[in-house]
Amino acid sequence: MRKSRSDTARTRKRIVSTASKMFLSEGVAHVGTRDIMAAASMTQGGFYRHFKSREQLVAEANDAAFDLLLTMLEGEIAGNSPAEAVEKIVSLYLNQSQNKKRLYLCPLAILGAELSHGDSNVRAVAVRGYQRLVQLLADSLKPLVASGAHELASGIVSTMVGAVTLANIDPDPVTAHAILRNSHSTIQALLAHSEKGS
Amino acid sequence: MRKSRSDTARTRKRIVSTASKMFLSEGVAHVGTRDIMAAASMTQGGFYRHFKSREQLVAEANDAAFDLLLTMLEGEIAGNSPAEAVEKIVSLYLNQSQNKKRLYLCPLAILGAELSHGDSNVRAVAVRGYQRLVQLLADSLKPLVASGAHELASGIVSTMVGAVTLANIDPDPVTAHAILRNSHSTIQALLAHSEKGS
DNA sequence: TGTACATCAGTGAACGCGCGTTCACTGATGTAC
DNA sequence: TGTACATCAGTGAACGCGCGTTCACTGATGTAC
């Protein structure tokens, strides 16, 4: 039953991306290795040909999720003015759970505290994802503000992560949407007063 | 072995508060009924004399945590001016994980997404806690802003929840503290521009 | 280029373990008279 | 107020179950000559 190198690599990627989707929709703690392997059309035993432990897959799955999200955001803001780019990042991030297809979910908001109970590798992946997100936003903010773009970006990311976390907890879509809307307005007010010459 | 009504009530409260601390420090998914009962100096079998399921305890433990947090905050701001009250709520909330004793932790930030995978009762408790927190902040904001105190309070709570969530994920205390500091500055900048007559 | 052997991806059963929950039992507390 | 019985908080063993992980096995792929 041995597979070719390219088959093996494709299988591995399939397991990682399947796991990523499952962790993000059901929570890291509620998805087992059997669930993941079955969803990837394989049996449990094959898991350890690709990963040394479940925890390693958790780290890789989140790394993949951050890559997907950041690549999407970078693509969406390419060619936009800094002000448009900032607005796009904020609204795409805030609406990540609303878009029916639920691709491009951010582990920071969707898994949140679960990441802080992961092993050191999982946490390192999460921190790196956070830093990439802050940097992306800071790059667009830099031309807009006199100083402190990075600090402002950090504050805005906290707001976005908190808003999406809270909106996901609320079972009522109306109030969940209000949380997102209030955070969006708050960020816009903040930006309006932080812009150069205001 | 039957205990008196008051003993029974005291035992139940002890289980709830023990569970609350354990859930907040280790995560809901990583604490079992045996762990909780042992920490409360009892054996596993007694659990179901007090709760119909583990999930019911999760709900009650979080309700207790919100009560503890809100009562503390209300006490701390009593007698303060609105501006001082807002500042106190924000800094007490942001430093909840830093204070060595780690009493008064907020389930929204510490458990976060885990609450969204709880049953409907758990989620309802979380939403109620969120609303109480927003209301407390909005009450102090109302005299300070011309309008939109509730919306602003909602945005600030998102920022605080996100900041504490992110700071807890980061294993490096220096960068974790920077996340909290940046969010604090961001909130202060927001308030400075939202105040009446500014 | 062909052949012989080593490698290893994937299978499916099995491992030990800890979980939430149930149960028969004990004996002090609560209740009815 | 005292007595007899019912209740039920707490114990500790046991239940079934699903988990992460291991293992012997299969057979196609990769490698050495």
Side-chain angles (χ1 to χ4, degrees):
Chain A
M1 294 264 201
R2 184 178 184 179
K3 298 301 178 66
S4 70
R5 292 205 197 303
S6 64
D7 275 353
T8 303
R10 213 175 306 123
T11 298
R12 192 191 154 88
K13 275 184 187 157
R14 179 160 41 92
I15 297 171
V16 171
S17 84
T18 301
S20 177
K21 283 175 206 150
M22 295 179 80
F23 288 147
L24 289 168
S25 67
E26 298 168 50
V28 174
H30 295 98
V31 182
T33 52
R34 277 169 190 74
D35 303 324
I36 295 163
M37 293 303 278
S41 308
M42 293 178 67
T43 55
Q44 43 179 325
F47 185 90
Y48 294 89
R49 292 288 159 197
H50 295 280
F51 310 98
K52 74 173 219 301
S53 69
R54 177 181 183 276
E55 199 72 0
Q56 187 197 336
L57 175 61
V58 173
E60 291 197 31
N62 283 312
D63 211 21
F66 279 119
D67 259 341
L68 212 61
L69 174 69
L70 270 290
T71 302
M72 181 276 284
L73 290 175
E74 284 163 4
E76 287 286 336
I77 67 175
N80 284 227
S81 74
E84 286 167 346
V86 170
E87 169 57 26
K88 241 181 180 170
I89 292 169
V90 172
S91 62
L92 284 169
Y93 192 98
L94 288 177
N95 292 306
Q96 63 181 277
S97 296
Q98 268 55 50
N99 290 351
K100 289 297 170 287
K101 320 197 283 179
R102 294 186 137 256
L103 280 120
Y104 313 122
L105 297 177
C106 178
L108 298 172
I110 305 295
L111 302 178
E114 273 197 286
L115 297 169
S116 60
H117 298 118
D119 70 13
S120 63
N121 196 21
V122 171
R123 297 177 77 175
V125 164
V127 169
R128 191 148 23 90
Y130 164 75
Q131 289 166 341
R132 286 177 68 185
L133 191 55
V134 170
Q135 193 58 53
L136 183 76
L137 191 56
D139 287 343
S140 290
L141 283 172
K142 209 150 275 168
L144 298 174
V145 300
S147 69
H150 194 88
E151 289 74 9
L152 180 59
S154 168
I156 291 173
V157 168
S158 289
T159 306
M160 298 194 301
V161 169
V164 173
T165 298
L166 293 167
N168 275 316
I169 292 171
D170 200 328
D172 179 349
V174 175
T175 50
H177 192 260
I179 292 169
L180 299 174
R181 185 165 15 87
N182 289 332
S183 293
H184 200 160
S185 307
T186 299
I187 292 170
Q188 285 172 332
L190 183 63
L191 290 170
H193 294 109
S194 301
E195 276 166 16
K196 269 179 187 163
S198 77
Chain B
M1 293 266 203
R2 184 177 184 182
K3 297 300 177 67
S4 70
R5 294 206 197 298
S6 65
D7 276 353
T8 303
R10 215 176 304 124
T11 298
R12 191 191 202 318
K13 276 185 186 158
R14 179 159 42 91
I15 297 170
V16 171
S17 84
T18 301
S20 177
K21 282 175 207 153
M22 294 178 81
F23 288 146
L24 289 168
S25 66
E26 297 168 50
V28 174
H30 295 97
V31 181
T33 53
R34 277 170 189 73
D35 303 325
I36 296 163
M37 293 303 278
S41 308
M42 292 178 66
T43 55
Q44 44 179 325
F47 185 89
Y48 294 88
R49 293 290 160 194
H50 295 280
F51 310 98
K52 72 173 220 301
S53 69
R54 177 182 183 276
E55 199 73 0
Q56 186 197 335
L57 176 61
V58 173
E60 291 197 31
N62 282 312
D63 211 22
F66 279 120
D67 259 341
L68 212 62
L69 174 69
L70 270 291
T71 302
M72 181 277 282
L73 290 175
E74 284 162 5
E76 287 286 337
I77 69 174
N80 285 227
S81 73
E84 286 167 347
V86 170
E87 168 58 25
K88 241 179 180 173
I89 291 169
V90 172
S91 61
L92 284 169
Y93 192 98
L94 288 176
N95 292 305
Q96 64 181 275
S97 296
Q98 267 56 49
N99 290 350
K100 290 299 170 287
K101 319 197 285 180
R102 294 187 139 253
L103 280 119
Y104 313 122
L105 296 176
C106 179
L108 298 172
I110 306 294
L111 302 178
E114 273 198 284
L115 297 169
S116 60
H117 298 117
D119 69 13
S120 64
N121 195 22
V122 170
R123 296 176 77 175
V125 163
V127 170
R128 190 146 26 89
Y130 165 75
Q131 289 166 341
R132 287 176 68 185
L133 191 55
V134 170
Q135 192 59 52
L136 184 77
L137 191 56
D139 287 345
S140 290
L141 283 172
K142 209 151 277 167
L144 297 174
V145 299
S147 69
H150 194 88
E151 289 74 10
L152 180 58
S154 169
I156 291 172
V157 168
S158 289
T159 306
M160 297 193 302
V161 168
V164 174
T165 298
L166 293 167
N168 276 315
I169 292 171
D170 200 328
D172 178 349
V174 174
T175 50
H177 192 260
I179 292 169
L180 298 174
R181 185 167 13 88
N182 289 333
S183 293
H184 200 159
S185 307
T186 300
I187 292 169
Q188 285 172 333
L190 182 63
L191 289 170
H193 294 109
S194 301
E195 276 167 18
K196 271 178 186 163
S198 80

